[in-house]
């Protein structure tokens, strides 16, 4: 899967607090891997390859499991807000 780096960061910014741990638990990776997946500081990105360019560059994802989980959490959060 290919996505822009800035879009990946926008998705990360939409996640509610505590989501990194939830994603790590559901996908079976460490919290640091989740943070690095979204461009976090303190380690090399795991499972992503970044090419510099417009809109933060292009990111190729080896496995979209973390992204898929993040998008599901965002959808759940938005659905919960609408039902209130």
């Amino acid at each position: 899967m290919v996505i822009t780096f800035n879009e990946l960061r926008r998705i990360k910014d939409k996640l509610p607090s505590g989501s990194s741990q939830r994603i790590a638990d559901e996908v079976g990776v460490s919290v640091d891997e989740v943070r690095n997946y979204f461009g976090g500081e303190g380690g090399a990105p795991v499972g992503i390859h970044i090419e510099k360019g417009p809109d933060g560059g292009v990111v190729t994802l080896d496995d979209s499991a973390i992204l898929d989980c993040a998008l599901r959490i965002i959808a759940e959060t938005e659905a919960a807000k609408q039902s209130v």
Side-chain angles (χ1 to χ4, degrees):
M1 176 177 203
V2 177
I3 188 170
T4 67
F5 181 78
N6 287 344
E7 181 59 26
L8 191 61
R9 293 295 289 183
R10 281 191 283 274
I11 291 167
K12 180 218 166 261
D13 292 342
K14 288 182 182 180
L15 288 167
S17 179
S19 294
S20 291
Q21 184 65 57
R22 178 176 168 191
I23 293 169
D25 292 344
E26 290 185 22
V27 178
V29 298
S30 72
V31 175
D32 285 337
E33 286 181 68
V34 174
R35 289 183 184 128
N36 291 340
Y37 188 90
F38 288 105
E41 301 295 321
V46 176
I48 68 171
H49 308 279
I50 302 171
E51 289 184 42
K52 302 234 183 250
D55 204 21
V58 176
V59 178
T60 303
L61 306 172
D62 291 342
D63 182 352
S64 66
I66 291 173
L67 179 62
D68 295 339
C69 188
L71 292 172
R72 184 171 36 77
I73 291 170
I74 291 167
E76 291 170 3
T77 302
E78 290 175 358
K81 286 179 184 177
Q82 290 177 357
S83 68
V84 172

